[in-house]
Amino acid sequence: MPAWLTVVGVGEDGFAGLGRAARRALLEADVVVGGQRHLAMLPARIAARREAWPSPFDIAPVLARRGKPVCVLASGDPMFYGVGATLARALSADEWRVLPAPSSLSLAAARLGWALQEVAVASLVGRPLAALNAHLHDGARIFVLSRDGESPGAIAALLRERGFGATRMHVFEHLGGDRERRIDVRAAAWPSDQARDVAALNVVALACEATEARSLPLTCGLPDDAFLNDGQLTKRDVRAITLARLAPRPGELLWDVGAGSGSIGIEWMRAHASCRAIAIEADAGRQRFIEHNRDALGVPGLVLVAGRAPEALAGLPAPDAVFIGGGVTVPGVLEACWSSLREGGRLVANAVTLQGDAALMAWRDRCGGTLTRIALNEAQPLGGFDTWRPALPVTLYEVTKPLRDDAGAATREGTHR
């Protein structure tokens, strides 16, 4: 099918800033679809019918015109946090084309002299402010896509709260247009009423400087005190080993069963921006810990399921990996997790009791896998000297769910490491 849809990226300079191909597409279109702001930029000589996006947003009206010449207007680069990514999931590559304009971040990087590939990006459009926490490190440069004129003030307040009050903020309004304006200020100096003076269309650039903040490492095994907890916490060194065995990969989903403070699921999601996790926890107090920790550590997208396994697992999307931090002795938990786990997925479980050890040994005999004993000792004072104080040894079980051969029978190949 020849390309019937053209997605045109529009900057603040409107129709005047478009190239020849984009102008021709608009002149030849039967219908132009876009936001009211973009449609208002079109000159009268564009004869196509103009249609605003429906509310709630839906690309169905565009798809209904398949085969006819249609243009969609989008801000800047449509493939960067834009409608292009949504359309790409519904169209074959030969049905459409994209004619991008410079993105707001490209323009901001040009104004600041920042190398774009060295700057982290966070979007607050349809996302909670807490997502920014994952990017806050001393010396980091961050571009933040604001949701409205109040976003810069909210960002400044978050930076002050997190000990990054010295961070230099550069707020760009209407980048690339006649009304372009720039505000340069330290987060600590941002006035509380500044939101009234900021345009809804803005991008915030942050040059992070920590004063009181502790920058957390990117490696797994965060300090234990990074998590609010009541002691129900997979300790730092064991957590690092456990996450290494879980082996997070981009886009994968983890079940953290008996999540406690949520440390495993949180660090799984911090491993890559596309990693997802569901924390299953029955205790109401620990659920509050999880809610606090996921926001404070920058992964507000972690899903909390209040309930007890195995009943709480019913209906959840199939995981690529499962961690059982508590409950291996509860009847049906291992069975439910194993049944739901995708083929090729990993199951890791920890136990500290003899009964837990016995359950994991029995499961290894049934499904294969490996058992590892983790015994850690820490130097602590003894009178005027020091001695080694052992922590409770942890039994770590790891197994990979086998793929099925053409005949549908499970093969044990790959279940042992």
Side-chain angles (χ1 to χ4, degrees):
M1 176 183 296
W4 56 271
L5 173 64
T6 301
V7 183
V8 176
V10 184
E12 276 293 294
D13 50 1
F15 187 81
L18 298 180
R20 180 179 300 175
R23 293 188 182 195
R24 178 176 293 276
L26 288 165
L27 287 167
E28 295 177 350
D30 288 347
V31 177
V32 179
V33 181
Q36 293 287 4
R37 183 174 68 88
H38 291 137
L39 293 174
M41 294 178 174
L42 298 180
R45 68 176 183 272
I46 300 298
R49 186 168 71 255
R50 307 176 189 195
E51 293 187 3
W53 287 113
S55 182
F57 177 81
D58 191 354
I59 63 172
V62 172
L63 301 180
R65 294 181 172 84
R66 188 180 248 111
K68 299 178 182 179
V70 177
C71 276
V72 164
L73 300 180
S75 294
D77 185 347
M79 302 306 295
F80 185 75
Y81 288 97
V83 70
T86 303
L87 289 166
R89 292 190 284 269
L91 297 169
S92 60
D94 61 348
E95 288 186 83
W96 67 311
R97 60 177 178 158
V98 180
L99 303 176
S103 71
S104 58
L105 300 195
S106 293
L107 294 173
R111 304 293 188 269
L112 292 166
W114 289 3
L116 191 56
Q117 73 273 12
E118 297 174 1
V119 184
V121 178
S123 175
L124 301 185
V125 181
R127 296 171 175 83
L129 180 64
L132 183 58
N133 286 327
H135 301 282
L136 296 181
H137 303 279
D138 190 28
R141 288 176 170 177
I142 309 168
F143 281 138
V144 186
L145 300 173
S146 294
R147 72 169 63 94
D148 53 32
E150 296 182 359
S151 294
I155 293 168
L158 175 68
L159 291 170
R160 292 193 296 267
E161 178 186 340
R162 302 288 295 181
F164 285 85
T167 294
R168 285 166 292 159
M169 298 178 60
H170 310 283
V171 182
F172 294 95
E173 302 172 313
H174 300 292
L175 270 164
D178 294 337
R179 295 180 293 165
E180 181 174 322
R181 184 172 74 124
R182 171 174 168 176
I183 303 170
D184 299 308
V185 65
R186 299 274 181 178
W190 186 274
S192 59
D193 61 349
Q194 187 71 49
R196 293 197 298 267
D197 300 325
V198 180
L201 191 65
N202 70 84
V203 172
V204 182
L206 304 176
C208 293
E209 292 186 32
T211 49
E212 307 165 9
R214 174 182 63 177
S215 291
L216 294 175
L218 299 177
T219 54
C220 61
L222 295 179
D224 291 343
D225 61 6
F227 303 91
L228 282 184
N229 68 90
D230 59 359
Q232 190 70 15
L233 173 74
T234 303
K235 299 301 189 292
R236 181 179 192 175
D237 296 306
V238 175
R239 190 180 339 118
I241 296 171
T242 299
L243 284 158
R245 299 298 184 93
L246 285 167
R249 299 163 188 161
E252 289 191 328
L253 172 65
L254 171 76
W255 283 3
D256 185 359
V257 181
S261 65
S263 61
I264 293 291
I266 288 169
E267 293 214 42
W268 168 279
M269 291 185 66
R270 282 173 60 91
H272 192 273
S274 66
C275 284
R276 299 164 294 137
I278 299 175
I280 298 96
E281 176 55 53
D283 184 86
R286 292 168 186 159
Q287 292 165 15
R288 303 292 82 77
F289 289 145
I290 293 171
E291 290 172 339
H292 172 274
N293 291 333
R294 68 183 177 186
D295 285 353
L297 294 170
V299 289
L302 181 143
V303 176
L304 172 60
V305 173
R308 190 179 305 278
E311 295 79 13
L313 306 179
L316 298 182
D320 301 288
V322 175
F323 173 64
I324 307 175
V328 295
T329 60
V330 176
V333 169
L334 279 165
E335 289 81 0
C337 291
W338 186 252
S339 175
S340 297
L341 184 65
R342 295 183 186 276
E343 292 181 8
R346 291 86 64 203
L347 185 148
V348 175
N350 290 350
V352 294
T353 66
L354 294 175
Q355 290 78 8
D357 285 358
L360 294 181
M361 289 178 183
W363 193 261
R364 184 196 60 173
D365 292 342
R366 174 177 170 181
C367 295
T370 61
L371 287 168
T372 302
R373 189 75 162 196
I374 304 172
L376 300 172
N377 294 270
E378 184 176 327
Q380 294 183 1
L382 178 65
F385 299 91
D386 294 310
T387 191
W388 292 108
R389 298 286 186 186
L392 284 175
V394 176
T395 299
L396 184 149
Y397 171 67
E398 175 193 8
V399 64
T400 298
K401 189 170 184 177
L403 303 174
R404 293 184 175 271
D405 58 26
D406 293 338
T411 172
R412 294 177 65 89
E413 182 180 356
T415 60
H416 298 278
R417 295 195 185 187

